[in-house]
Amino acid sequence: MSDLVARTGRLQQRYENGYRLVAGCIPFRYRCLDESHHENSENVVEVLMINSTSGPGLLFPKGGWENDETVEEAAVREAIEEAGVRGDLLDFVGDYNFKNKTHEDEFSPEGFCKAAMFALLVKEELNAWPEQSTRIRSWLTISQAIQNCRHAWMKEALEYGFCKWLAQKRKTTS
């Protein structure tokens, strides 16, 4: 059982021009392909995805951005609540619009959402977290994640947001 508690309800949700504002992240880690961990060993990037509670496919942690937090704080909170991970929120990788019928309400009658997505370098996997009874974590290569992504907008965030950011990051560090 986790001492952390997931936030629920929509009383504190942010909206903008008919869109429910959402924050999320693409949690990732570097895994050494060579078990000997030599200095010249190649590292592969793996991303963490969680199961959907409403059907097949995998997701990145995301949820409503609330009035009492920054968008970055909301992204970090969602990573802890849904995926049970903590780490360093590195960079913004883009805004992504989508429609979600379960989020239709008086402020967003069409169910439109706008997600701000970030890259999160995972430093810790928690043994207990708020949604652990309904979530399963899976570490995947980027190509595996693209194949298993439930939503087109998340696939776009991974392929064109995160991967572009990662390539740029590698250029500047090499």
Side-chain angles (χ1 to χ4, degrees), residues 50-80:
I50 53 176
N51 65 301
S52 169
T53 58
S54 62
L58 298 174
L59 312 169
F60 294 113
K62 60 102 183 107
W65 172 17
E66 300 187 357
N67 290 326
D68 63 346
E69 61 190 350
T70 66
V71 68
E72 293 86 359
E73 289 169 339
V76 167
R77 176 178 51 78
E78 290 297 335
I80 293 167

PDB file of all heavy atoms in Angstrom, residues 50-80:
ATOM      1  N   ILE A  50       2.745   2.377 -19.330  1.00  0.00           N
ATOM      2  CA  ILE A  50       1.825   1.724 -18.405  1.00  0.00           C
ATOM      3  C   ILE A  50       0.610   1.235 -19.180  1.00  0.00           C
ATOM      4  O   ILE A  50       0.292   1.762 -20.247  1.00  0.00           O
ATOM      5  CB  ILE A  50       1.391   2.683 -17.266  1.00  0.00           C
ATOM      6  CG1 ILE A  50       0.836   3.994 -17.850  1.00  0.00           C
ATOM      7  CG2 ILE A  50       2.557   2.937 -16.320  1.00  0.00           C
ATOM      8  CD1 ILE A  50       0.295   4.971 -16.831  1.00  0.00           C
ATOM      9  N   ASN A  51      -0.054   0.237 -18.627  1.00  0.00           N
ATOM     10  CA  ASN A  51      -1.259  -0.258 -19.272  1.00  0.00           C
ATOM     11  C   ASN A  51      -2.380   0.767 -19.156  1.00  0.00           C
ATOM     12  O   ASN A  51      -2.410   1.586 -18.240  1.00  0.00           O
ATOM     13  CB  ASN A  51      -1.705  -1.582 -18.642  1.00  0.00           C
ATOM     14  CG  ASN A  51      -2.111  -1.413 -17.191  1.00  0.00           C
ATOM     15  OD1 ASN A  51      -1.315  -0.978 -16.358  1.00  0.00           O
ATOM     16  ND2 ASN A  51      -3.344  -1.750 -16.876  1.00  0.00           N
ATOM     17  N   SER A  52      -3.295   0.698 -20.094  1.00  0.00           N
ATOM     18  CA  SER A  52      -4.502   1.513 -20.044  1.00  0.00           C
ATOM     19  C   SER A  52      -5.505   0.801 -19.147  1.00  0.00           C
ATOM     20  O   SER A  52      -5.591  -0.423 -19.162  1.00  0.00           O
ATOM     21  CB  SER A  52      -5.085   1.669 -21.443  1.00  0.00           C
ATOM     22  OG  SER A  52      -6.374   2.223 -21.384  1.00  0.00           O
ATOM     23  N   THR A  53      -6.253   1.557 -18.375  1.00  0.00           N
ATOM     24  CA  THR A  53      -7.284   0.933 -17.548  1.00  0.00           C
ATOM     25  C   THR A  53      -8.593   0.776 -18.318  1.00  0.00           C
ATOM     26  O   THR A  53      -9.550   0.231 -17.792  1.00  0.00           O
ATOM     27  CB  THR A  53      -7.531   1.757 -16.263  1.00  0.00           C
ATOM     28  OG1 THR A  53      -7.906   3.081 -16.636  1.00  0.00           O
ATOM     29  CG2 THR A  53      -6.285   1.794 -15.389  1.00  0.00           C
ATOM     30  N   SER A  54      -8.615   1.262 -19.580  1.00  0.00           N
ATOM     31  CA  SER A  54      -9.870   1.213 -20.334  1.00  0.00           C
ATOM     32  C   SER A  54      -9.758   0.472 -21.662  1.00  0.00           C
ATOM     33  O   SER A  54     -10.577   0.673 -22.546  1.00  0.00           O
ATOM     34  CB  SER A  54     -10.375   2.636 -20.584  1.00  0.00           C
ATOM     35  OG  SER A  54      -9.434   3.355 -21.355  1.00  0.00           O
ATOM     36  N   GLY A  55      -8.749  -0.372 -21.814  1.00  0.00           N
ATOM     37  CA  GLY A  55      -8.645  -1.122 -23.058  1.00  0.00           C
ATOM     38  C   GLY A  55      -7.219  -1.519 -23.365  1.00  0.00           C
ATOM     39  O   GLY A  55      -6.319  -1.302 -22.560  1.00  0.00           O
ATOM     40  N   PRO A  56      -7.006  -2.086 -24.553  1.00  0.00           N
ATOM     41  CA  PRO A  56      -5.672  -2.571 -24.918  1.00  0.00           C
ATOM     42  C   PRO A  56      -4.701  -1.434 -25.219  1.00  0.00           C
ATOM     43  O   PRO A  56      -5.100  -0.291 -25.432  1.00  0.00           O
ATOM     44  CB  PRO A  56      -5.951  -3.407 -26.171  1.00  0.00           C
ATOM     45  CG  PRO A  56      -7.170  -2.791 -26.763  1.00  0.00           C
ATOM     46  CD  PRO A  56      -7.995  -2.305 -25.600  1.00  0.00           C
ATOM     47  N   GLY A  57      -3.448  -1.772 -25.274  1.00  0.00           N
ATOM     48  CA  GLY A  57      -2.419  -0.797 -25.617  1.00  0.00           C
ATOM     49  C   GLY A  57      -1.785  -0.176 -24.387  1.00  0.00           C
ATOM     50  O   GLY A  57      -2.274  -0.321 -23.267  1.00  0.00           O
ATOM     51  N   LEU A  58      -0.678   0.509 -24.619  1.00  0.00           N
ATOM     52  CA  LEU A  58       0.086   1.119 -23.540  1.00  0.00           C
ATOM     53  C   LEU A  58       0.090   2.643 -23.658  1.00  0.00           C
ATOM     54  O   LEU A  58      -0.100   3.193 -24.731  1.00  0.00           O
ATOM     55  CB  LEU A  58       1.522   0.583 -23.559  1.00  0.00           C
ATOM     56  CG  LEU A  58       1.663  -0.920 -23.333  1.00  0.00           C
ATOM     57  CD1 LEU A  58       3.102  -1.359 -23.527  1.00  0.00           C
ATOM     58  CD2 LEU A  58       1.148  -1.320 -21.961  1.00  0.00           C
ATOM     59  N   LEU A  59       0.342   3.276 -22.519  1.00  0.00           N
ATOM     60  CA  LEU A  59       0.276   4.738 -22.415  1.00  0.00           C
ATOM     61  C   LEU A  59       1.505   5.282 -21.706  1.00  0.00           C
ATOM     62  O   LEU A  59       2.178   4.563 -20.977  1.00  0.00           O
ATOM     63  CB  LEU A  59      -0.931   5.160 -21.562  1.00  0.00           C
ATOM     64  CG  LEU A  59      -2.285   4.557 -21.823  1.00  0.00           C
ATOM     65  CD1 LEU A  59      -3.243   4.925 -20.694  1.00  0.00           C
ATOM     66  CD2 LEU A  59      -2.811   5.060 -23.154  1.00  0.00           C
ATOM     67  N   PHE A  60       1.709   6.586 -21.846  1.00  0.00           N
ATOM     68  CA  PHE A  60       2.640   7.314 -21.003  1.00  0.00           C
ATOM     69  C   PHE A  60       1.824   7.975 -19.899  1.00  0.00           C
ATOM     70  O   PHE A  60       0.656   8.314 -20.100  1.00  0.00           O
ATOM     71  CB  PHE A  60       3.394   8.379 -21.811  1.00  0.00           C
ATOM     72  CG  PHE A  60       4.298   7.782 -22.852  1.00  0.00           C
ATOM     73  CD1 PHE A  60       4.037   7.944 -24.199  1.00  0.00           C
ATOM     74  CD2 PHE A  60       5.411   7.039 -22.478  1.00  0.00           C
ATOM     75  CE1 PHE A  60       4.851   7.381 -25.160  1.00  0.00           C
ATOM     76  CE2 PHE A  60       6.237   6.466 -23.433  1.00  0.00           C
ATOM     77  CZ  PHE A  60       5.959   6.638 -24.773  1.00  0.00           C
ATOM     78  N   PRO A  61       2.415   8.164 -18.727  1.00  0.00           N
ATOM     79  CA  PRO A  61       1.656   8.805 -17.641  1.00  0.00           C
ATOM     80  C   PRO A  61       1.277  10.238 -18.005  1.00  0.00           C
ATOM     81  O   PRO A  61       2.102  11.007 -18.493  1.00  0.00           O
ATOM     82  CB  PRO A  61       2.624   8.780 -16.453  1.00  0.00           C
ATOM     83  CG  PRO A  61       3.919   8.267 -16.942  1.00  0.00           C
ATOM     84  CD  PRO A  61       3.762   7.786 -18.338  1.00  0.00           C
ATOM     85  N   LYS A  62       0.020  10.561 -17.783  1.00  0.00           N
ATOM     86  CA  LYS A  62      -0.477  11.917 -18.038  1.00  0.00           C
ATOM     87  C   LYS A  62      -1.793  12.103 -17.300  1.00  0.00           C
ATOM     88  O   LYS A  62      -2.465  11.140 -16.949  1.00  0.00           O
ATOM     89  CB  LYS A  62      -0.647  12.183 -19.533  1.00  0.00           C
ATOM     90  CG  LYS A  62      -1.622  11.234 -20.223  1.00  0.00           C
ATOM     91  CD  LYS A  62      -2.951  11.869 -20.460  1.00  0.00           C
ATOM     92  CE  LYS A  62      -3.947  10.920 -21.080  1.00  0.00           C
ATOM     93  NZ  LYS A  62      -4.971  10.496 -20.143  1.00  0.00           N
ATOM     94  N   GLY A  63      -2.135  13.350 -17.052  1.00  0.00           N
ATOM     95  CA  GLY A  63      -3.395  13.640 -16.383  1.00  0.00           C
ATOM     96  C   GLY A  63      -3.612  15.128 -16.281  1.00  0.00           C
ATOM     97  O   GLY A  63      -2.793  15.929 -16.761  1.00  0.00           O
ATOM     98  N   GLY A  64      -4.707  15.506 -15.668  1.00  0.00           N
ATOM     99  CA  GLY A  64      -5.082  16.904 -15.587  1.00  0.00           C
ATOM    100  C   GLY A  64      -4.068  17.778 -14.875  1.00  0.00           C
ATOM    101  O   GLY A  64      -3.508  17.409 -13.862  1.00  0.00           O
ATOM    102  N   TRP A  65      -3.857  18.954 -15.463  1.00  0.00           N
ATOM    103  CA  TRP A  65      -3.003  19.977 -14.865  1.00  0.00           C
ATOM    104  C   TRP A  65      -3.907  20.823 -14.000  1.00  0.00           C
ATOM    105  O   TRP A  65      -4.900  21.367 -14.471  1.00  0.00           O
ATOM    106  CB  TRP A  65      -2.335  20.766 -15.976  1.00  0.00           C
ATOM    107  CG  TRP A  65      -1.572  21.986 -15.561  1.00  0.00           C
ATOM    108  CD1 TRP A  65      -1.128  22.324 -14.324  1.00  0.00           C
ATOM    109  CD2 TRP A  65      -1.160  23.050 -16.424  1.00  0.00           C
ATOM    110  NE1 TRP A  65      -0.459  23.511 -14.353  1.00  0.00           N
ATOM    111  CE2 TRP A  65      -0.464  23.985 -15.638  1.00  0.00           C
ATOM    112  CE3 TRP A  65      -1.310  23.302 -17.781  1.00  0.00           C
ATOM    113  CZ2 TRP A  65       0.077  25.153 -16.158  1.00  0.00           C
ATOM    114  CZ3 TRP A  65      -0.773  24.460 -18.303  1.00  0.00           C
ATOM    115  CH2 TRP A  65      -0.083  25.368 -17.499  1.00  0.00           C
ATOM    116  N   GLU A  66      -3.588  20.923 -12.719  1.00  0.00           N
ATOM    117  CA  GLU A  66      -4.476  21.587 -11.774  1.00  0.00           C
ATOM    118  C   GLU A  66      -4.019  23.004 -11.440  1.00  0.00           C
ATOM    119  O   GLU A  66      -2.859  23.362 -11.647  1.00  0.00           O
ATOM    120  CB  GLU A  66      -4.618  20.718 -10.519  1.00  0.00           C
ATOM    121  CG  GLU A  66      -5.209  19.366 -10.883  1.00  0.00           C
ATOM    122  CD  GLU A  66      -5.551  18.487  -9.709  1.00  0.00           C
ATOM    123  OE1 GLU A  66      -5.291  18.861  -8.552  1.00  0.00           O
ATOM    124  OE2 GLU A  66      -6.118  17.411  -9.954  1.00  0.00           O
ATOM    125  N   ASN A  67      -4.964  23.788 -10.929  1.00  0.00           N
ATOM    126  CA  ASN A  67      -4.745  25.214 -10.678  1.00  0.00           C
ATOM    127  C   ASN A  67      -3.649  25.530  -9.668  1.00  0.00           C
ATOM    128  O   ASN A  67      -3.077  26.610  -9.700  1.00  0.00           O
ATOM    129  CB  ASN A  67      -6.046  25.876 -10.202  1.00  0.00           C
ATOM    130  CG  ASN A  67      -7.067  25.972 -11.306  1.00  0.00           C
ATOM    131  OD1 ASN A  67      -6.722  26.155 -12.467  1.00  0.00           O
ATOM    132  ND2 ASN A  67      -8.331  25.822 -10.954  1.00  0.00           N
ATOM    133  N   ASP A  68      -3.355  24.608  -8.773  1.00  0.00           N
ATOM    134  CA  ASP A  68      -2.393  24.893  -7.708  1.00  0.00           C
ATOM    135  C   ASP A  68      -0.985  24.384  -8.015  1.00  0.00           C
ATOM    136  O   ASP A  68      -0.156  24.253  -7.112  1.00  0.00           O
ATOM    137  CB  ASP A  68      -2.876  24.306  -6.379  1.00  0.00           C
ATOM    138  CG  ASP A  68      -2.984  22.793  -6.401  1.00  0.00           C
ATOM    139  OD1 ASP A  68      -2.956  22.200  -7.494  1.00  0.00           O
ATOM    140  OD2 ASP A  68      -3.096  22.204  -5.318  1.00  0.00           O
ATOM    141  N   GLU A  69      -0.685  24.079  -9.274  1.00  0.00           N
ATOM    142  CA  GLU A  69       0.622  23.557  -9.630  1.00  0.00           C
ATOM    143  C   GLU A  69       1.066  24.067 -10.993  1.00  0.00           C
ATOM    144  O   GLU A  69       0.247  24.483 -11.808  1.00  0.00           O
ATOM    145  CB  GLU A  69       0.598  22.017  -9.627  1.00  0.00           C
ATOM    146  CG  GLU A  69      -0.369  21.420 -10.615  1.00  0.00           C
ATOM    147  CD  GLU A  69      -0.588  19.918 -10.456  1.00  0.00           C
ATOM    148  OE1 GLU A  69       0.144  19.256  -9.695  1.00  0.00           O
ATOM    149  OE2 GLU A  69      -1.512  19.411 -11.104  1.00  0.00           O
ATOM    150  N   THR A  70       2.373  24.023 -11.222  1.00  0.00           N
ATOM    151  CA  THR A  70       2.895  24.345 -12.544  1.00  0.00           C
ATOM    152  C   THR A  70       2.694  23.128 -13.443  1.00  0.00           C
ATOM    153  O   THR A  70       2.458  22.012 -12.953  1.00  0.00           O
ATOM    154  CB  THR A  70       4.394  24.687 -12.487  1.00  0.00           C
ATOM    155  OG1 THR A  70       5.117  23.504 -12.098  1.00  0.00           O
ATOM    156  CG2 THR A  70       4.677  25.839 -11.516  1.00  0.00           C
ATOM    157  N   VAL A  71       2.842  23.323 -14.733  1.00  0.00           N
ATOM    158  CA  VAL A  71       2.697  22.202 -15.660  1.00  0.00           C
ATOM    159  C   VAL A  71       3.782  21.160 -15.402  1.00  0.00           C
ATOM    160  O   VAL A  71       3.541  19.955 -15.501  1.00  0.00           O
ATOM    161  CB  VAL A  71       2.670  22.692 -17.130  1.00  0.00           C
ATOM    162  CG1 VAL A  71       4.014  23.262 -17.578  1.00  0.00           C
ATOM    163  CG2 VAL A  71       2.195  21.590 -18.062  1.00  0.00           C
ATOM    164  N   GLU A  72       4.968  21.605 -15.025  1.00  0.00           N
ATOM    165  CA  GLU A  72       6.052  20.675 -14.707  1.00  0.00           C
ATOM    166  C   GLU A  72       5.729  19.855 -13.455  1.00  0.00           C
ATOM    167  O   GLU A  72       5.968  18.644 -13.429  1.00  0.00           O
ATOM    168  CB  GLU A  72       7.374  21.436 -14.507  1.00  0.00           C
ATOM    169  CG  GLU A  72       7.908  22.098 -15.764  1.00  0.00           C
ATOM    170  CD  GLU A  72       7.335  23.495 -16.021  1.00  0.00           C
ATOM    171  OE1 GLU A  72       6.491  23.971 -15.234  1.00  0.00           O
ATOM    172  OE2 GLU A  72       7.729  24.108 -17.034  1.00  0.00           O
ATOM    173  N   GLU A  73       5.194  20.509 -12.440  1.00  0.00           N
ATOM    174  CA  GLU A  73       4.799  19.790 -11.223  1.00  0.00           C
ATOM    175  C   GLU A  73       3.712  18.763 -11.527  1.00  0.00           C
ATOM    176  O   GLU A  73       3.724  17.654 -10.967  1.00  0.00           O
ATOM    177  CB  GLU A  73       4.306  20.774 -10.158  1.00  0.00           C
ATOM    178  CG  GLU A  73       5.400  21.621  -9.558  1.00  0.00           C
ATOM    179  CD  GLU A  73       4.879  22.781  -8.706  1.00  0.00           C
ATOM    180  OE1 GLU A  73       3.711  23.198  -8.866  1.00  0.00           O
ATOM    181  OE2 GLU A  73       5.668  23.279  -7.882  1.00  0.00           O
ATOM    182  N   ALA A  74       2.780  19.111 -12.405  1.00  0.00           N
ATOM    183  CA  ALA A  74       1.718  18.174 -12.779  1.00  0.00           C
ATOM    184  C   ALA A  74       2.286  16.955 -13.497  1.00  0.00           C
ATOM    185  O   ALA A  74       1.881  15.818 -13.230  1.00  0.00           O
ATOM    186  CB  ALA A  74       0.678  18.876 -13.656  1.00  0.00           C
ATOM    187  N   ALA A  75       3.249  17.167 -14.395  1.00  0.00           N
ATOM    188  CA  ALA A  75       3.861  16.047 -15.125  1.00  0.00           C
ATOM    189  C   ALA A  75       4.588  15.105 -14.163  1.00  0.00           C
ATOM    190  O   ALA A  75       4.462  13.879 -14.261  1.00  0.00           O
ATOM    191  CB  ALA A  75       4.818  16.572 -16.190  1.00  0.00           C
ATOM    192  N   VAL A  76       5.327  15.671 -13.214  1.00  0.00           N
ATOM    193  CA  VAL A  76       6.042  14.862 -12.220  1.00  0.00           C
ATOM    194  C   VAL A  76       5.048  14.104 -11.345  1.00  0.00           C
ATOM    195  O   VAL A  76       5.228  12.915 -11.058  1.00  0.00           O
ATOM    196  CB  VAL A  76       6.973  15.758 -11.375  1.00  0.00           C
ATOM    197  CG1 VAL A  76       7.489  15.023 -10.148  1.00  0.00           C
ATOM    198  CG2 VAL A  76       8.130  16.269 -12.225  1.00  0.00           C
ATOM    199  N   ARG A  77       3.967  14.771 -10.926  1.00  0.00           N
ATOM    200  CA  ARG A  77       2.948  14.127 -10.090  1.00  0.00           C
ATOM    201  C   ARG A  77       2.322  12.944 -10.816  1.00  0.00           C
ATOM    202  O   ARG A  77       2.136  11.865 -10.247  1.00  0.00           O
ATOM    203  CB  ARG A  77       1.869  15.152  -9.692  1.00  0.00           C
ATOM    204  CG  ARG A  77       0.712  14.539  -8.909  1.00  0.00           C
ATOM    205  CD  ARG A  77      -0.319  15.566  -8.489  1.00  0.00           C
ATOM    206  NE  ARG A  77      -0.804  16.420  -9.566  1.00  0.00           N
ATOM    207  CZ  ARG A  77      -1.701  16.047 -10.486  1.00  0.00           C
ATOM    208  NH1 ARG A  77      -2.186  14.813 -10.492  1.00  0.00           N
ATOM    209  NH2 ARG A  77      -2.103  16.899 -11.409  1.00  0.00           N
ATOM    210  N   GLU A  78       1.995  13.123 -12.083  1.00  0.00           N
ATOM    211  CA  GLU A  78       1.379  12.033 -12.849  1.00  0.00           C
ATOM    212  C   GLU A  78       2.320  10.842 -12.993  1.00  0.00           C
ATOM    213  O   GLU A  78       1.883   9.692 -12.943  1.00  0.00           O
ATOM    214  CB  GLU A  78       0.922  12.532 -14.225  1.00  0.00           C
ATOM    215  CG  GLU A  78      -0.262  13.479 -14.165  1.00  0.00           C
ATOM    216  CD  GLU A  78      -1.538  12.852 -13.612  1.00  0.00           C
ATOM    217  OE1 GLU A  78      -1.714  11.612 -13.691  1.00  0.00           O
ATOM    218  OE2 GLU A  78      -2.376  13.610 -13.090  1.00  0.00           O
ATOM    219  N   ALA A  79       3.620  11.097 -13.152  1.00  0.00           N
ATOM    220  CA  ALA A  79       4.594   9.998 -13.245  1.00  0.00           C
ATOM    221  C   ALA A  79       4.603   9.190 -11.951  1.00  0.00           C
ATOM    222  O   ALA A  79       4.683   7.957 -11.978  1.00  0.00           O
ATOM    223  CB  ALA A  79       5.986  10.548 -13.546  1.00  0.00           C
ATOM    224  N   ILE A  80       4.511   9.875 -10.824  1.00  0.00           N
ATOM    225  CA  ILE A  80       4.490   9.184  -9.533  1.00  0.00           C
ATOM    226  C   ILE A  80       3.169   8.444  -9.345  1.00  0.00           C
ATOM    227  O   ILE A  80       3.154   7.255  -9.005  1.00  0.00           O
ATOM    228  CB  ILE A  80       4.719  10.182  -8.376  1.00  0.00           C
ATOM    229  CG1 ILE A  80       6.142  10.748  -8.440  1.00  0.00           C
ATOM    230  CG2 ILE A  80       4.447   9.522  -7.023  1.00  0.00           C
ATOM    231  CD1 ILE A  80       6.377  11.949  -7.546  1.00  0.00           C
TER     232      ILE A  80
END
